[in-house]
Amino acid sequence: MARGPKKHLKRLTAPKHWMLDKLGGEWAPRPSTGPHKLRECLPLCLVLRNRLKYALTGREVTMIMMRRHVEVDGKIRTDPNYPAGFMDVITIAKTNEKFRLLYDVKGRFVLQKIKANEARYKLLKVVKKGKGAKSSIGRNPFVTGQAGTIPYVVTHDGRTIRYPDPQVKIYDTVKYDIKENKITDHIKFDIGNLCMVTKGANTGRVGILVRKEMHPGSFNIVHLKDRSGAEFATRERNVFAIGHAGEAEVTLPKRRGIKQSILEEREEMLKRREK
């Protein structure tokens, strides 16, 4: 009988979007407990070794990490298995590079290179909203009784932010200043705003929210339309608002969230070969 948390992860059971080869060994790095779920994150070990090619082995990754060269959201991380996730900003001071973790149209993590001014903030999706108990959140000393409880929101990366804008609701997105640790703006989860799908078969696709379907007792469905005119639908909780009226607040990956058919991909590949 197993006792305690699991400490190992076999390569065949690791998430497919990590893109680990079958014959590269029996084991995969198991992400530490952190702000993102095991199957929705990318360990820093894979970022440095498999994506950026700054290390050849796990031991080299540990040496880089222990020299305090890697930051996630402005904080130095020394754990090679730290789980970086969607919208996280990864900074490597030695090379003066900054990346944001996003999805491509095939549902795989992409390290999108960004500039210094964009690395100052990240977008956070609100997953919970409430008024805190005095023991955990604290209370307002200037107000007595129940009115002294402090409003707060919880975001998709596990942050609890006190005193948010009263207009911020669940599924809205807040623009969060990493250095100042405060909300600077928010994006409503409304029709006409630009959204990215973060779960399901349409992961990584970007489109404008066209309409919502309410299904009491089941999953609410939202319909989106991308720049090419293609319309697709997914569950409400799978969608992440990223901009106002077609303008994204973050730099998008190469395809800008437009999914191609197999034939379109083949035609583009043949054109590249001809050149």
Side-chain angles (χ1 to χ4, degrees), residues 3 10 26 28 48-49 51 80 98 117 123 138 157 166 170 197-198 206 218 226 241 271:
R3 291 182 293 182
K10 289 208 172 181
E26 187 178 357
L48 293 173
R49 186 184 66 193
R51 301 300 174 89
K98 302 176 193 320
N117 59 345
L123 301 182
D157 66 346
I170 292 177
V197 182
T198 57
V206 174
S218 184
D226 64 18
K271 285 179 183 177

Side-chain angles (χ1 to χ4, degrees), residues 143-188:
V143 185
T144 58
Q146 190 63 28
T149 55
I150 292 174
Y152 70 95
V153 293
V154 179
T155 60
H156 79 282
D157 66 346
R159 294 174 194 265
T160 300
I161 305 171
R162 308 196 315 166
Y163 295 112
D165 189 316
Q167 293 182 344
V168 173
K169 308 293 182 188
I170 292 177
Y171 297 134
D172 288 354
T173 299
V174 295
K175 190 174 178 180
Y176 187 75
D177 192 308
I178 294 170
K179 288 188 177 179
E180 299 292 329
N181 290 326
K182 64 180 182 181
I183 296 172
T184 57
D185 193 10
H186 70 278
I187 304 165
K188 298 294 289 181

Side-chain angles (χ1 to χ4, degrees), residues 30-275:
R30 184 183 182 87
S32 305
T33 51
H36 299 280
K37 295 180 180 178
L38 184 145
R39 307 199 76 83
E40 297 172 11
C41 73
L42 189 66
L44 291 180
C45 175
L46 298 184
V47 171
L48 293 173
R49 186 184 66 193
N50 295 35
R51 301 300 174 89
L52 298 177
K53 311 290 186 186
Y54 287 159
L56 295 174
T57 62
R59 181 172 173 78
E60 288 182 10
V61 171
T62 304
M63 292 166 69
I64 294 170
M65 301 290 293
M66 295 309 290
R67 286 183 176 140
R68 304 170 71 82
H69 291 321
V70 182
E71 294 179 18
V72 180
D73 292 342
K75 290 188 177 180
I76 293 170
R77 300 293 178 184
T78 57
D79 179 11
N81 294 331
Y82 180 84
F86 184 65
M87 283 290 169
D88 282 359
V89 176
I90 298 172
T91 305
I92 301 171
K94 203 78 173 176
T95 59
N96 198 25
E97 289 178 313
K98 302 176 193 320
F99 303 94
R100 191 186 302 280
L101 265 184
L102 296 172
Y103 290 112
D104 68 3
V105 289
K106 296 193 176 181
R108 303 171 300 200
F109 273 118
V110 171
L111 285 164
Q112 178 62 40
K113 217 168 193 179
I114 56 175
K115 295 180 181 178
N117 59 345
E118 192 182 325
R120 293 175 186 169
Y121 65 86
K122 64 183 292 192
L123 301 182
L124 306 175
K125 179 181 173 181
V126 176
V127 296
K128 183 181 175 184
K129 183 180 180 182
K131 288 189 174 181
K134 297 172 188 176
S135 59
S136 58
I137 303 296
R139 68 176 311 246
N140 187 342
F142 303 105
V143 185
T144 58
Q146 190 63 28
T149 55
I150 292 174
Y152 70 95
V153 293
V154 179
T155 60
H156 79 282
D157 66 346
R159 294 174 194 265
T160 300
I161 305 171
R162 308 196 315 166
Y163 295 112
D165 189 316
Q167 293 182 344
V168 173
K169 308 293 182 188
I170 292 177
Y171 297 134
D172 288 354
T173 299
V174 295
K175 190 174 178 180
Y176 187 75
D177 192 308
I178 294 170
K179 288 188 177 179
E180 299 292 329
N181 290 326
K182 64 180 182 181
I183 296 172
T184 57
D185 193 10
H186 70 278
I187 304 165
K188 298 294 289 181
F189 184 62
D190 281 341
I191 291 169
N193 283 345
L194 194 68
C195 301
M196 177 181 271
V197 182
T198 57
K199 278 186 186 179
N202 291 308
T203 299
R205 296 184 73 175
V206 174
I208 291 173
L209 188 59
V210 177
R211 68 180 187 275
K212 300 179 186 179
E213 290 179 8
M214 310 307 282
H215 297 277
S218 184
F219 300 102
N220 295 335
I221 303 296
V222 294
H223 293 259
L224 301 100
K225 183 183 280 188
D226 64 18
R227 286 192 309 155
S228 66
E231 195 168 324
F232 54 97
T234 186
R235 291 179 182 176
E236 184 180 42
R237 67 184 184 191
N238 293 352
V239 178
F240 193 115
I242 59 170
H244 299 283
E247 289 290 330
E249 292 284 340
V250 295
T251 304
L252 295 175
K254 183 171 60 175
R255 294 268 168 231
R256 298 188 64 82
I258 297 175
K259 192 171 187 177
Q260 292 180 307
S261 67
I262 297 171
L263 291 175
E264 288 171 338
E265 285 182 1
R266 183 175 178 275
E267 286 175 9
E268 190 173 314
M269 182 185 69
L270 291 173
K271 285 179 183 177
R272 283 201 304 267
R273 285 183 179 176
E274 286 173 4
K275 289 179 182 179

